[in-house]
């Protein structure tokens, strides 16, 4: 019984950490795209 609880805890913690990692990476990609868009529009206005 104790072995099953330990395995389940590792499964749940791995799943939670995976979801958090995915959300952070998606957020980083979105913010990078927004920043690149702002740089592009600023360069167009300056020219």
């Amino acid at each position: 019984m104790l072995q099953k609880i330990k395995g389940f805890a590792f499964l749940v913690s791995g799943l939670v950490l995976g979801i958090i990692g995915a959300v952070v990476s998606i957020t980083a990609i979105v913010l990078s795209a927004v920043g690149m868009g702002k740089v592009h529009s600023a360069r167009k206005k300056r020219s």
Side-chain angles (χ1 to χ4, degrees):
M1 181 73 177
L2 188 59
Q3 285 286 15
K4 286 184 180 180
I5 292 173
K6 273 189 176 179
F8 183 71
F10 281 119
L11 177 71
V12 171
S13 64
L15 186 64
V16 168
L17 288 175
I19 291 171
I20 290 172
V23 168
V24 168
S25 68
I26 289 171
T27 304
I29 291 169
V30 168
L31 290 176
S32 174
V34 168
M36 289 178 73
K38 287 188 179 263
V39 167
H40 184 70
S41 66
R43 283 188 179 171
K44 272 190 164 183
K45 286 181 182 177
R46 199 171 71 169
S47 297

